[in-house]
Amino acid sequence: MSQSVLLLPGDGIGPEIVTEAEKVLRKVNEKFNLGLSFESGLVGGAAIDATGGPLPDETMERAQKVDAILLGAVGSPKWDNLKMELRPEKGLLGLRSGLQLFANLRPAILYPQLASASSLKPEVVSGLDILIVRELTGGIYFGQPRGVRTLENGDRQGFNTYIYSESEIRRIGRVAFEAAQQRNGKLCSVDKANVLEVTVLWREVMNELAQEYPDVELTHMYVDNAAMQLVRAPKQFDVIVTGNMFGDILSDEAAMLTGSIGMLPSASMNAEKQGMFEPCHGSAPDIAGQGIANPLATILSAAMMLRYSLNAEDAALAIEAAVSRVLDQGLRTADIMSPDGRRVSTAEMGEAVLAAL
Ligand code: NAD
């Protein structure tokens, strides 16, 4: 059955890195006979310049029809003076909410070849491979009521509501259990069940779900301990599942264990397994157009797309192995340069991955 991919290069280094990822996707499409078709569209500043808005109707309509989206990055100082609702970032948020992308998957992988890039000791992080599954459309970031009010005595009070329904917990839980099944079968659910009732329910629902996934070993950890364990002994984790706010914080912490922003992919998925895949970094306007950006985070995002939305695990593994081989060869873009590395451009890095495939 043919599957379709929408490429949204966006702004800054976006077009440069998506070009390389597209070449890699076309190569595995041929090699593994995946039957993928590709189309591209406008989002962010590029869409503002062409159409006046960051998320044209045409882009949204196409996004709703395709099986998966590969996004570069949006934003640049050029559009920073526009009103909030017209800014490039609104294009991204519009896609996330319009497609109901409730599950955010962020791997933190440290290739052994890049162990010196981390601020932790190489033996603590070398070979690190964690996946954080964060609930993205609920929890305290969206709960009602919220606001700032003034009490009768004149004291001002800020308040938010930390709320999760059983069905919301169950659907993110399923994504995490299934991800653990595809990896090493270990899932750690992070909560604050000693203090917050909402996470008592979270823990209960995770335990219920565990009955359906006997091949996955479920453990629980309080969020304060999880923050500590991530820097003490991060390799104890396989998959971590948690709510929106805890996930926001822990996924950045885990990402930075690897020390190199140009290497980190991410996925945001909905209930139909349709997903938007993008590097964790932004549009890097400071280096845009110079041909020096690292395309590997985007290429690894393409691998995630094959694994999670397009049911092509072999092709995903082949891309990841090719990236590892290229690093073994000592090829480095400027952001991951090491004393013994050979510096290459964006396009040379993309070509090297193609050759390794
Ligand atoms: P950034 O991630 O774009 O850049 C931070 C630093 O990392 C810069 O020095 C940049 O040169 C470097 N860097 C980032 N990606 C790199 C890569 N692939 N290769 C080599 N170096 C890389 O973050 P920022 O500077 O805070 O934001 C720049 C713009 O990107 C802003 O307009 C911001 O709103 C936007 N942004 C977009 C997204 C997104 O599209 N998902 C995410 C974050 C920021």
Side-chain angles (χ1 to χ4, degrees):
M1 197 184 70
S2 99
Q3 300 187 96
S4 51
V5 173
L6 176 62
L7 303 166
L8 297 176
D11 311 318
I13 59 170
E16 300 165 50
I17 54 183
V18 169
T19 298
E20 301 311 315
E22 181 182 355
K23 286 185 205 158
V24 169
L25 275 172
R26 287 188 186 274
K27 174 94 177 188
V28 291
N29 187 29
E30 215 179 276
K31 191 172 162 164
F32 292 87
N33 205 6
L34 301 176
L36 301 180
S37 65
F38 300 92
E39 49 187 287
S40 42
L42 292 170
V43 71
I48 296 173
D49 285 352
T51 70
L55 182 57
D57 291 345
E58 194 193 335
T59 300
M60 192 66 214
E61 279 159 25
R62 284 194 194 175
Q64 270 156 344
K65 282 192 200 128
V66 294
D67 296 286
I69 300 164
L70 184 71
L71 183 119
V74 298
S76 151
K78 179 180 172 191
W79 300 285
D80 275 357
N81 295 325
L82 293 173
K83 276 194 287 182
M84 203 48 119
E85 62 272 21
L86 287 177
R87 297 267 282 269
E89 291 76 8
K90 279 285 167 193
L92 203 58
L93 296 177
L95 282 166
R96 284 184 187 152
S97 61
L99 299 173
Q100 296 183 341
L101 303 172
F102 68 89
N104 185 223
L105 275 57
R106 271 177 62 168
I109 296 171
L110 182 60
Y111 288 90
Q113 304 91 323
L114 301 179
S116 61
S118 174
S119 49
L120 296 192
K121 291 185 196 122
E123 63 269 27
V124 176
V125 285
S126 182
L128 180 78
D129 183 354
I130 307 178
L131 177 69
I132 300 209
V133 178
R134 166 190 171 195
E135 202 289 328
L136 199 60
T137 54
I140 195 165
Y141 289 0
F142 292 90
Q144 295 288 346
R146 60 192 294 158
V148 178
R149 62 190 164 204
T150 305
L151 302 178
E152 276 176 11
N153 65 4
D155 198 13
R156 283 186 302 155
Q157 192 178 55
F159 57 100
N160 289 86
T161 303
Y162 191 173
I163 187 162
Y164 269 120
S165 63
E166 184 179 346
S167 55
E168 282 176 303
I169 302 169
R170 205 171 286 279
R171 70 177 183 176
I172 191 73
R174 283 197 192 288
V175 172
F177 274 100
E178 282 166 26
Q181 278 180 323
Q182 286 187 21
R183 293 171 47 101
N184 295 321
K186 279 172 60 186
L187 175 62
C188 178
S189 171
V190 170
D191 62 37
K192 190 71 184 169
N194 50 344
V195 179
L196 298 170
E197 285 80 355
V198 51
T199 68
V200 172
L201 178 67
W202 178 282
R203 193 176 277 222
E204 264 174 44
V205 175
M206 289 295 162
N207 280 332
E208 285 162 23
L209 270 180
Q211 309 301 315
E212 294 176 40
Y213 300 90
D215 48 341
V216 175
E217 179 201 333
L218 173 70
T219 55
H220 302 277
M221 195 179 278
Y222 297 137
V223 63
D224 41 348
N225 188 22
M228 199 171 74
Q229 295 299 332
L230 271 174
V231 285
R232 194 187 72 84
K235 285 190 268 184
Q236 70 185 282
F237 297 108
D238 177 19
V239 180
I240 291 177
V241 63
T242 190
N244 205 342
M245 180 170 61
F246 297 161
D248 191 3
I249 299 165
L250 293 182
S251 62
D252 268 21
E253 185 188 359
M256 276 305 106
L257 296 176
T258 72
S260 53
I261 198 166
M263 296 294 301
L264 299 169
S266 81
S268 305
M269 318 272 305
N270 67 20
E272 285 75 45
K273 297 223 160 79
Q274 185 196 28
M276 185 160 79
F277 300 83
E278 54 182 311
C280 288
H281 59 72
S283 58
D286 53 332
I287 58 166
Q290 298 176 29
I292 60 171
N294 185 349
L296 294 179
T298 317
I299 290 172
L300 292 168
S301 300
M304 286 189 86
M305 176 165 85
L306 292 161
R307 171 170 298 123
Y308 292 111
S309 275
L310 303 176
N311 213 6
E313 176 71 17
D314 288 355
L317 287 172
I319 292 176
E320 288 161 354
V323 167
S324 189
R325 263 201 297 282
V326 166
L327 295 175
D328 279 340
Q329 292 159 13
L331 304 189
R332 304 281 186 270
T333 44
D335 58 308
I336 51 171
M337 192 57 197
S338 54
D340 53 345
R342 181 157 75 79
R343 193 168 158 174
V344 293
S345 68
T346 310
E348 285 166 338
M349 187 58 106
E351 287 302 324
V353 174
L354 280 185
L357 273 166

